[in-house]
């Protein structure tokens, strides 16, 4: 085991203990492959499944694993042919049995931090889908809430703004300037301090660096 893997394992123990205190259902997998297999087993045949935009789901293989399944109904906005269809999928996703996403950050004290532009992902996290399954690489874990928010604003959002071709100050400077530009991707900051109902939100931490 490499020192990084060792570090991720130790930090995951601390984080999971605190996530469990907050009634999240938690798991640790060393690799994306294990995490994808575990998450797939959680979703029974016949389920309606949706997911939020996420580099973690793409990099881990979770997105393609879901797309390969023929025994579930997948609400995939990538298949939408118009903005109206995307909107319809966002609304239907709130009734899904399972909703997959990552978290922009997770504090070692067990809080989830998500910053969302449209709000569809944050909405599904808060209420609607029967189960939410979060896959997150250990690079998303921050020591404190302040550092978690700073990480999203100064690392994840600038990279996402570049990925999405948004004309924001952070895309140009690499740092958040708390903008209100039309292209801003930071409309909602959601801190999830517990899962209600208990274990509705499942968190699978992965001992790898995934997403931003
Ligand atoms: S508030 Fe604006 S500048 Fe700050 S991270 Fe979000 S989009 Fe970038």
């Amino acid at each position: 085991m490499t020192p990084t893997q060792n570090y991720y394992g130790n930090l995951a123990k601390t984080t999971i203990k605190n996530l469990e205190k907050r009634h999240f259902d938690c798991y640790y997998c060393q690799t994306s492959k294990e995490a994808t297999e575990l998450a797939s087993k959680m979703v029974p045949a016949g389920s309606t499944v949706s997911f939020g935009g996420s580099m973690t789901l793409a990099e881990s293989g979770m997105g393609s694993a879901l797309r390969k399944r023929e025994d579930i109904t997948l609400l995939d906005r990538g298949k939408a042919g118009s903005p109206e269809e995307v909107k319809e999928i966002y609304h239907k996703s709130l009734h899904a049995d399972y909703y997959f996403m990552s978290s922009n950050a997770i504090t070692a004290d067990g809080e989830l931090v998500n910053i969302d532009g449209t709000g569809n992902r944050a909405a599904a996290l808060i209420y609607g889908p029967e189960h939410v399954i979060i896959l997150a690489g250990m690079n998303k874990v921050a020591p404190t809430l302040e550092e978690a928010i700073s990480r999203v604003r100064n690392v994840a959002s600038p990279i996402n703004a570049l990925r999405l071709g948004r004309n924001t100050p952070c895309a140009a400077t690499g740092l958040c300037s708390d903008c209100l530009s039309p292209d801003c991707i930071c409309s909602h900051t959601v801190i999830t301090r517990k899962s209600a109902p208990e274990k509705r939100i499942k968190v699978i931490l992965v001992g790898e660096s995934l997403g931003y």
Side-chain angles (χ1 to χ4, degrees):
M1 190 180 284
T2 67
T4 302
Q5 288 169 329
N6 211 347
Y7 159 72
Y8 278 162
N10 292 340
L11 182 58
K13 273 186 210 147
T14 308
T15 309
I16 284 177
K17 189 178 71 176
N18 290 325
L19 283 162
E20 285 176 341
K21 273 199 303 210
R22 296 172 183 275
H23 312 295
F24 295 101
D25 189 17
C26 300
Y27 304 84
Y28 181 66
C29 294
Q30 281 197 357
T31 65
S32 291
K33 186 170 179 291
E34 286 171 44
T36 302
E37 285 168 5
L38 173 67
S40 297
K41 278 190 203 139
M42 289 178 181
V43 179
S47 300
T48 299
V49 180
S50 189
F51 55 90
S54 161
M55 288 310 294
T56 297
L57 296 182
E59 287 175 14
S60 63
M62 192 71 243
S64 40
L66 291 173
R67 286 189 184 94
K68 273 185 208 144
R69 281 187 64 167
E70 291 176 357
D71 61 345
I72 60 171
T73 301
L74 187 63
L75 303 170
D76 185 352
R77 69 176 157 170
K79 299 255 171 73
S82 65
E84 289 72 31
E85 278 181 47
V86 172
K87 201 168 160 187
E88 194 184 331
I89 288 173
Y90 283 168
H91 281 99
K92 280 187 179 165
S93 296
L94 298 176
H95 294 278
D97 299 311
Y98 290 84
Y99 190 87
F100 281 78
M101 57 181 282
S102 187
S103 184
N104 291 130
I106 298 174
T107 69
D109 198 31
E111 296 144 306
L112 312 180
V113 177
N114 284 284
I115 297 185
D116 204 347
T118 307
N120 60 296
R121 187 175 59 101
L125 170 65
I126 294 170
Y127 186 80
E130 202 62 25
H131 305 273
V132 176
I133 300 180
I134 290 177
L135 258 72
M138 285 303 296
N139 55 311
K140 298 285 189 77
V141 177
T144 64
L145 186 55
E146 197 179 31
E147 285 168 277
I149 293 172
S150 174
R151 187 194 173 280
V152 184
R153 287 289 196 97
N154 294 296
V155 180
S157 293
I159 302 175
N160 273 319
L162 287 168
R163 177 174 66 89
L164 299 168
R166 299 295 185 96
N167 184 17
T168 61
C170 62
T173 65
L175 291 173
C176 175
S177 56
D178 203 26
C179 80
L180 292 171
S181 82
D183 271 5
C184 178
I185 57 171
C186 304
S187 308
H188 310 274
T189 300
V190 175
I191 296 158
T192 309
R193 60 181 294 276
K194 62 188 274 290
S195 173
E198 185 171 12
K199 299 192 173 182
R200 170 180 172 264
I201 302 174
K202 299 148 203 350
V203 180
I204 303 177
L205 293 176
V206 187
E208 293 174 356
S209 178
L210 293 168
Y212 323 127

